[in-house]
Amino acid sequence: MKIVCSWCRQEGKPELVGEKVPLDDARETHGICLVHRHAVEAQWQVSIQTAARSGAATGLSSALFRWSGLLNATKKMRP
């Protein structure tokens, strides 16, 4: 199976990230390339730091904020 990055495809860039078994299967599955992974992680870190400075992130709410921040970051990256 071919692994493709959806964000690269939307940007018109080469989207092939790699392959996984079964190698003779011509279907596609989705992953994330290193460039977009680093972009998501950077936005995620900024959102965590912003929450920490505001005092909003504590305990369980901190974990929930990190995950919702990651989801929001990925939504912002998609046009």
Side-chain angles (χ1 to χ4, degrees), residues 48-67:
I48 290 170
Q49 291 168 2
T50 301
R53 280 194 298 268
S54 72
T58 58
L60 178 59
S61 64
S62 174
L64 292 173
F65 179 83
R66 284 194 300 268
W67 282 108

Side-chain angles (χ1 to χ4, degrees), residues 3-70:
I3 305 169
V4 298
C5 177
S6 297
W7 291 313
C8 285
R9 180 175 281 174
Q10 286 180 340
E11 294 172 1
K13 297 177 182 176
E15 70 264 9
L16 185 63
V17 175
E19 292 186 48
K20 70 177 194 172
V21 293
L23 297 176
D24 59 344
D25 189 342
R27 292 180 297 166
E28 290 183 351
T29 188
H30 292 88
I32 186 168
C33 70
L34 287 176
V35 171
H36 287 109
R37 178 179 174 175
H38 289 301
V40 168
E41 288 173 350
Q43 288 181 351
W44 188 38
Q45 290 299 324
V46 168
S47 68
I48 290 170
Q49 291 168 2
T50 301
R53 280 194 298 268
S54 72
T58 58
L60 178 59
S61 64
S62 174
L64 292 173
F65 179 83
R66 284 194 300 268
W67 282 108
S68 65
L70 178 60

